[in-house]
Amino acid sequence: MTIEYLPLDASADTGVAVRVDHVNKRFRLYHERNQSLKSAIMRRRKSVYEDRWALRDVSFDVPRGSTFGLIGSNGSGKSTLLKCLTKIYWPESGTITATGRVAGLLEVGSGFHPELSGLENIYLNGSILGMSRKELDEKRDDIIEFAGVGAYIDQPVKNYSSGMYVRLGFAIAINVNPDILVVDEVLAVGDAEFQEKCRQKFADLKQQGRTVILVSHSMDLVTQMCDHAAWLQNGEVRAVGEAGPVIDGYLGFVGGGSR
Ligand SMILES: Nc1ncnc2c1ncn2[C@@H]1O[C@H](COP(=O)(O)OP(=O)(O)OP(=O)(O)O)[C@@H](O)[C@H]1O
Ligand SMILES: [Mg+2]
């Protein structure tokens, strides 16, 4: 089981930005009848647990430069897969290889310190994502402008609305200049103007040959944005390939008709 980030070497590029190869991820759910430590010790029995395989033998390639949609019902494993890709979770077996710099926007507020101001979080989060102090000094104005949170940039982010969190997080993630940008749903909490701005940013990234992996429940958005897609169901890949047929397959399955 490995997750590997390889440097992007244009001359040796295989055309694959991310390779997911036979990935399995398990969550172990413990059924504790008694919650206290004392009673657990008194009981002196092994915990009872049940395994839930959130990803089962998942394999697919994300072509470099594609905008790749990851779709499927609630609980199908989309977020788990993105968290494996960004090394938040470690799979039980299988390999994920990402070629280039990866930046992700996963959950509202993840990576932010609530007591620090927006500006301080730009520096904190930016450095976690691999930007130097100098790079951040150069980019901070662009980040602040894209985030568009106005005077709130000097306020602790715990006072932000969900939309403001996402705007700031997205502004930082795209300014890292990632080769691979991973976005989980969160854009949906942004307003129409911000979503339009994101759409344009995705188009720019695509033009620069960068790769975007996008999780969404909006089939309109995926249809509009994505050229390739994978459909996960119950932790397994049901379809992968060009976006159109994959989306149609999923919509047919859920009985939502066609696009
Ligand atoms: N930390 C965890 N501990 C235990 N089970 C988990 C954990 N994270 C996810 N799961 C389980 O793994 C499965 C896949 O969850 P995941 O969050 O990847 O789904 P999803 O496709 O992102 O769903 P949604 O569309 O609702 O966001 C679910 O059954 C979920 O309950
Ligand atoms: Mg999810």
Side-chain angles (χ1 to χ4, degrees):
M1 114 210 119
T2 35
I3 302 172
E4 200 176 10
Y5 295 168
L6 303 176
L8 179 55
D9 171 2
S11 60
D13 191 11
T14 56
V16 176
V18 178
R19 170 156 292 166
V20 180
D21 195 19
H22 298 293
V23 167
N24 290 289
K25 171 70 194 162
R26 172 188 63 198
F27 291 110
R28 191 153 271 187
L29 309 177
Y30 289 88
H31 302 299
E32 292 292 350
R33 257 171 299 167
N34 294 306
Q35 292 300 321
S36 80
L37 180 61
K38 186 180 164 201
S39 58
I41 293 168
M42 298 292 283
R43 208 159 24 103
R44 277 214 202 155
R45 274 206 287 117
K46 284 236 163 88
S47 318
V48 183
Y49 61 79
E50 148 193 347
D51 282 342
R52 160 134 199 138
W53 289 91
L55 296 174
R56 284 188 271 202
D57 201 26
V58 171
S59 298
F60 59 84
D61 285 350
V62 178
R64 176 157 315 283
S66 64
T67 305
F68 192 95
L70 198 52
I71 61 174
S73 316
N74 293 134
S76 57
K78 306 179 296 297
S79 299
T80 302
L81 184 60
L82 293 193
K83 285 178 183 165
C84 289
L85 174 57
T86 50
K87 296 188 180 178
I88 296 171
Y89 291 156
W90 209 258
E92 264 55 52
S93 59
T95 308
I96 300 179
T97 315
T99 314
R101 197 181 209 181
V102 180
L105 190 59
L106 296 190
E107 272 156 15
V108 174
S110 68
F112 285 143
H113 191 297
E115 301 291 341
L116 298 179
S117 73
L119 185 59
E120 289 164 332
N121 269 295
I122 291 176
Y123 280 86
L124 175 68
N125 202 316
S127 63
I128 292 170
L129 290 170
M131 278 196 276
S132 65
R133 171 99 205 183
K134 184 167 162 283
E135 217 179 331
L136 280 159
D137 286 339
E138 283 163 15
K139 286 189 172 155
R140 59 179 262 180
D141 291 342
D142 286 348
I143 296 173
I144 292 170
E145 206 213 302
F146 194 95
V149 297
Y152 271 85
I153 199 68
D154 294 317
Q155 287 292 312
V157 298
K158 66 179 179 190
N159 297 340
Y160 281 24
S161 70
S162 311
M164 288 162 75
Y165 262 112
V166 168
R167 294 172 81 111
L168 187 62
F170 190 71
I172 298 168
I174 54 167
N175 274 285
V176 175
N177 277 335
D179 300 302
I180 301 159
L181 177 67
V182 179
V183 182
D184 193 349
E185 220 129 46
V186 291
L187 296 182
V189 304
D191 59 26
E193 182 221 340
F194 182 69
Q195 288 194 18
E196 185 48 41
K197 236 161 120 176
C198 294
R199 220 163 283 174
Q200 269 166 25
K201 199 68 212 181
F202 288 153
D204 292 351
L205 289 173
K206 192 179 177 67
Q207 199 135 49
Q208 296 161 11
R210 299 177 197 272
T211 310
V212 177
I213 303 179
L214 181 69
V215 168
S216 179
H217 286 290
S218 161
M219 290 308 116
D220 282 346
L221 182 76
V222 178
T223 303
Q224 224 176 71
M225 298 295 313
C226 298
D227 42 67
H228 289 74
W231 163 27
L232 286 182
Q233 192 61 42
N234 237 330
E236 290 176 296
V237 177
R238 286 290 294 264
V240 58
E242 289 191 12
V246 176
I247 295 167
D248 286 342
Y250 174 57
L251 286 176
F253 172 78
V254 296
S258 61
R259 278 173 293 152

